[in-house]
Amino acid sequence: NAGVTQTPKFRVLKTGQSMTLLCAQDMNHEYMYWYRQDPGMGLRLIHYSVGEGTTAKGEVPDGYNVSRLKKQNFLLGLESAAPSQTSVYFCASNRPSNTGELFFGEGSRLTVL
Amino acid sequence: LAKTTQPISMDSYEGQEVNITCSHNNIATNDYITWYQQFPSQGPRFIIQGYKTKVTNEVASLFIPADRKSSTLSLPRVSLSDTAVYYCLVGPIYGGSQGNLIFGKGTKLSVKP
């Protein structure tokens, strides 16, 4: 089983460039999330979605946009990348029956120069 | 939101029992406690979840006192492969606001030979 798959795994951007991170899950989960992880900061929630066509802001949403056009996919976009967005990004998904059990992808390491 | 507080780091030796405590003073009635394990360059992985008293599975035990203001993850007879960061997550698991799935900064466990 693939579980949660993130692409790309690594990316280097210049300040001001845009990009999209793709998250795909094959577990038919309703809920999906994007987190960022920085040294000493743990995991911080950027945006989340409770179903196809819905999105909501998390702790640190500024500078990011998301879309959930299909149930299995959750896209994270950076319209104008900044060095402060250098981080490791994790996508996760779960079921409404137990939202405490999150299934994470392997992460996408983004560097903004 | 139920904020969590954990020790930043802990050291142990192979074969010892390790107890990691998480403080969550403002836990809500419908909140559960979930623990995750994260290895370098990987996404966090679900370990164990509980509401009160004691829960045990093949990997760990979780102790939750009656007031539920703290919880302790117990890892029996740790090995080098248990070296990882451990996160405590507190929040509702049945419906509710998924924006409440906020992680703390985690505890970095180092197991030495």
Side-chain angles (χ1 to χ4, degrees):
Chain A
N1 290 336
V4 178
T5 303
Q6 296 180 224
T7 53
K9 290 185 170 41
F10 301 94
R11 184 74 187 269
V12 178
L13 288 177
K14 294 181 180 179
T15 297
Q17 287 185 319
S18 64
M19 75 156 295
T20 300
L21 295 176
L22 169 63
C23 177
Q25 53 95 2
D26 62 0
M27 297 172 282
N28 201 34
H29 286 168
E30 289 291 333
Y31 302 157
M32 296 186 74
Y33 311 77
W34 276 107
Y35 288 88
R36 62 175 290 174
Q37 186 171 45
D38 303 293
M41 298 296 292
L43 288 151
R44 292 184 290 171
L45 182 62
I46 305 171
H47 285 281
Y48 63 98
S49 168
V50 297
E52 184 177 316
T54 72
T55 63
K57 294 180 180 180
E59 296 175 270
V60 290
D62 294 341
Y64 304 95
N65 57 76
V66 288
S67 64
R68 183 106 180 262
L69 299 179
K70 295 183 178 180
K71 184 177 182 179
Q72 65 267 34
N73 296 336
F74 195 28
L75 278 63
L76 178 71
L78 286 72
E79 290 187 348
S80 180
S84 61
Q85 293 177 305
T86 293
S87 186
V88 180
Y89 292 85
F90 288 98
C91 176
S93 69
N94 59 13
R95 303 178 294 263
S97 58
N98 185 352
T99 58
E101 185 174 4
L102 289 158
F103 294 82
F104 283 86
E106 293 291 299
S108 297
R109 182 176 294 275
L110 174 65
T111 301
V112 183
L113 303 175
Chain B
L1 298 179
K3 293 195 89 171
T4 61
T5 304
Q6 303 173 233
I8 294 174
S9 62
M10 294 181 69
D11 292 332
S12 182
Y13 290 93
E14 282 191 293
Q16 289 187 332
E17 178 184 74
V18 171
N19 295 310
I20 305 174
T21 297
C22 179
S23 173
H24 29 81
N25 290 320
N26 59 340
I27 188 170
T29 302
N30 60 342
D31 284 347
Y32 280 69
I33 299 150
T34 312
W35 284 81
Y36 287 81
Q37 176 189 57
Q38 185 180 25
F39 297 115
S41 302
Q42 294 186 23
R45 183 175 68 103
F46 174 94
I47 301 176
I48 196 166
Q49 182 181 78
Y51 184 80
K52 61 181 179 181
T53 63
K54 177 183 175 182
V55 179
T56 297
N57 61 22
E58 64 278 6
V59 177
S61 293
L62 177 59
F63 299 92
I64 305 168
D67 66 7
R68 303 199 328 121
K69 293 186 177 182
S70 66
S71 57
T72 299
L73 173 73
S74 181
L75 304 172
R77 298 179 299 281
V78 294
S79 64
L80 296 176
S81 62
D82 292 315
T83 293
V85 178
Y86 293 83
Y87 291 95
C88 163
L89 178 66
V90 175
I93 67 170
Y94 302 117
S97 171
Q98 300 319 303
N100 287 345
L101 293 179
I102 306 295
F103 284 81
K105 296 183 180 180
T107 298
K108 185 174 183 179
L109 173 65
S110 298
V111 180
K112 302 174 184 178

